[in-house]
Amino acid sequence: MRDTAPNSWDARAESASFYGFTDLPTIAERGTVVLTHGDGPYVHDTNGKRYFDSNSGLWNMVAGFNHPKLAEAAKAQYDRFPGYHSLFGRMSDQTVMLSETLIEVSPYAHGKVFYTNSGSEANDTMVKMLWFLGASEGQPQRRKIITRWNSYHGVTAVAASMTGKPYNSVFGLPLPGFLHVGSPHYWRFGQEGETEAQFTQRLARELEATIIKEGPDTIAGFFAEPIIGAGGVIPPSEGYFQAVQAVLKKYGIPLIADEVITGFGRTGNLWGCQTYDFVPDAIIASKAMTAGYFPMGAILLGPDLADRLQDASNAIEEFPHGFTASGHPVGCAIALAAIDLVVNGGLAENVRALTPKFEAGLAQLAENPNIGEWRGKGLMAALEAVQDKATKTPFPGTLSVSERIANTCTDHGLICRPLGQSIVLCPPFICTEAHLDEMFEKLDAALKKVFAEIV
Ligand code: PLP
């Protein structure tokens, strides 16, 4: 509960910090969880309470909260060369090495990498790259961007315009030219009597109709998360990316995979596009790239876009874009260590090893009469609460069901994330089976308690 003493951490946090993506009435009642440190998959607060963080921070702390190799990589690089940009013909050796490594572990035989400080900036930058390409290739009208309803691509003005969430209307977004098509969530949006394959075909037809209506030569790109993350963990419907990519190829529209969450092992393969068997034209990466130990984003350009963007840049002698901390040497050194942990240090293997137990635990919780479905892949999943399982009727929004479940979990030392009427779980890759047992036991108790209160 919120500590009302004037010098409490709660009071101090509220007095000088402006909160984002936080339900303020909940803060007024419960206060702020002020964290001091972590060990493995746990974080500790200023009251000495320990929480299992089943969200890996914000999907990103895949190696846990005190991995010695990442801290060592950071310290060694801070000692050696603590900061630099990657502009004006200069970049650090770490930046060179990270780009090589990223292309090596990418689905591309050759390609190029551009760095940002976040996933939002990477999406924003990719859009600017597509606009730049259109203008340079004599198609300045090719500026529209298509994404899906309920997708999440970030918060900068462009990334928020791509995000298919109604809350962005408070900012007067989306900007003109940002279009949204249907979400591939068969359980929720499949029609009576429609098979999953038919549902997928319907979405592909909707995409094609949108392209034709808008004018194929006005569309600069289509962005999609292999699994929609912050929209409530929504894996694609059967054959979705094959159907959509066929449409995009027909009109020469690049498919950009936003792998900010799914990149670097979360779904059991290094990339979500490998899990769903497609090769995008570019990949947006962030989060697990540095295991959350440094803010960093990257665009991995596949061969076609890399070559065309190189030509476009050559024509005007530069690509006029970049951030002060693009390709920061400390971020790059940490990313090299983090990728090594995932690829060679057993973390991706551990995701695959834990997946059957994770899925079994989710399936068991989904037997609860107020859980409509569990969905996910690898170590990312959601459980969706429903008032009526047969009709998939949600609880009234006023009951704030997922927030109540998440708050109950927090009280019992488990951090999990409420998203819509779902609870999201994406534990760190370093977890053990015992950690998953602890997570499921605590969540089960919270589900039972909250449903008993409101049903
Ligand atoms: N894209 C996806 C798929 C994300 O999940 C996120 C953040 O959660 C972003 C982009 C934005 O990344 P950032 O918060 O680093 O700007």
Side-chain angles (χ1 to χ4, degrees):
M1 278 306 107
R2 181 164 177 265
D3 185 344
T4 52
N7 206 28
S8 65
W9 282 107
D10 281 328
R12 289 170 60 190
E14 285 169 44
S15 73
S17 298
F18 189 70
Y19 292 50
F21 282 131
T22 299
D23 181 51
L24 297 177
T26 304
I27 294 299
E29 188 192 324
R30 296 176 55 87
T32 306
V33 179
V34 179
L35 298 165
T36 53
H37 65 287
D39 66 290
Y42 297 95
V43 290
H44 297 247
D45 74 11
T46 43
N47 297 316
K49 184 168 174 161
R50 185 170 94 146
Y51 307 83
F52 178 79
D53 192 335
S54 77
N55 284 127
S56 306
L58 200 45
W59 316 90
N60 54 345
M61 306 295 294
V62 296
F65 295 93
N66 64 341
H67 202 292
K69 288 204 171 147
L70 299 176
E72 277 161 24
K75 169 90 173 60
Q77 187 57 35
Y78 273 122
D79 287 344
R80 207 164 73 92
F81 191 38
Y84 214 76
H85 56 79
S86 57
L87 313 171
F88 322 131
R90 294 185 284 280
M91 66 176 72
S92 79
D93 55 355
Q94 302 299 310
T95 315
V96 173
M97 289 190 279
L98 179 59
S99 300
E100 287 171 342
T101 299
L102 284 171
I103 294 303
E104 201 179 297
V105 302
S106 80
Y108 306 125
H110 76 95
K112 290 197 170 170
V113 182
F114 190 91
Y115 295 101
T116 67
N117 309 302
S118 68
S120 302
E121 289 170 350
N123 278 318
D124 216 300
T125 297
M126 186 72 242
V127 170
K128 282 181 76 179
M129 284 176 162
L130 294 171
W131 288 346
F132 175 57
L133 208 53
S136 152
E137 293 180 348
Q139 292 196 305
Q141 80 291 349
R142 201 181 266 282
R143 293 180 66 82
K144 291 178 190 162
I145 301 294
I146 306 180
T147 56
R148 288 94 48 84
W149 289 114
N150 214 16
S151 63
Y152 184 85
H153 297 287
V155 295
T156 56
V158 159
S161 295
M162 294 162 66
T163 292
K165 300 270 196 180
Y167 57 72
N168 279 315
S169 64
V170 302
F171 303 109
L173 297 174
L175 295 167
F178 287 82
L179 316 168
H180 299 96
V181 292
S183 155
H185 190 184
Y186 175 61
W187 176 80
R188 179 52 76 197
F189 299 119
Q191 292 169 352
E192 190 76 33
E194 187 177 46
T195 66
E196 193 167 339
Q198 288 166 343
F199 171 72
T200 297
Q201 287 310 317
R202 178 157 63 83
L203 291 188
R205 283 197 302 278
E206 182 208 7
L207 173 64
E208 183 158 19
T210 303
I211 292 169
I212 291 169
K213 177 172 155 271
E214 297 290 332
D217 70 345
T218 69
I219 314 292
F222 176 84
F223 287 65
E225 304 159 79
I227 297 178
I228 291 180
V233 184
I234 300 168
S237 56
E238 187 188 320
Y240 176 80
F241 280 104
Q242 287 66 34
V244 157
Q245 196 166 34
V247 172
L248 297 169
K249 280 200 166 136
K250 187 167 160 188
Y251 296 101
I253 298 168
L255 165 59
I256 315 299
D258 182 344
E259 298 244 19
V260 166
I261 288 176
T262 48
F264 305 100
R266 177 58 74 186
T267 66
N269 293 301
L270 209 55
W271 304 103
C273 61
Q274 288 164 336
T275 296
Y276 293 107
D277 200 19
F278 68 101
V279 180
D281 294 286
I283 290 175
I284 306 298
S286 185
K287 295 203 188 268
M289 185 164 75
T290 56
Y293 282 53
F294 200 89
M296 198 170 198
I299 296 158
L300 281 61
L301 296 165
D304 178 59
L305 284 179
D307 290 347
R308 286 164 60 197
L309 278 160
Q310 191 62 57
D311 289 346
S313 302
N314 291 343
I316 62 161
E317 298 185 354
E318 72 171 327
F319 175 54
H321 178 90
F323 301 92
T324 301
S326 290
H328 193 289
V330 176
C332 292
I334 294 171
L336 283 164
I339 295 168
D340 187 54
L341 283 178
V342 171
V343 177
N344 306 311
L347 290 195
E349 246 164 71
N350 201 40
V351 172
R352 287 191 287 276
L354 287 176
T355 296
K357 187 177 175 70
F358 186 59
E359 290 181 347
L362 290 157
Q364 202 173 345
L365 290 185
E367 283 172 18
N368 188 305
N370 292 108
I371 294 296
E373 74 160 355
W374 82 264
R375 49 180 184 262
K377 198 83 183 170
L379 282 190
M380 67 187 286
L383 289 153
E384 181 152 343
V386 284
Q387 191 166 43
D388 185 321
K389 197 161 182 153
T391 59
K392 305 178 185 173
T393 309
F395 283 99
T398 47
L399 285 178
S400 302
V401 59
S402 59
E403 286 79 4
R404 286 164 93 129
I405 295 166
N407 289 341
T408 307
C409 286
T410 308
D411 291 343
H412 295 105
L414 172 67
I415 291 175
C416 56
R417 180 156 172 217
L419 262 174
Q421 302 232 335
S422 298
I423 291 292
V424 166
L425 302 171
C426 55
F429 301 172
I430 47 145
C431 281
T432 61
E433 295 207 340
H435 289 131
L436 295 188
D437 283 336
E438 177 188 346
M439 177 180 82
F440 283 128
E441 271 162 35
K442 287 185 169 161
L443 181 55
D444 187 35
L447 292 175
K448 286 181 175 141
K449 179 170 183 292
V450 171
F451 293 143
E453 283 165 9
I454 63 175
V455 175

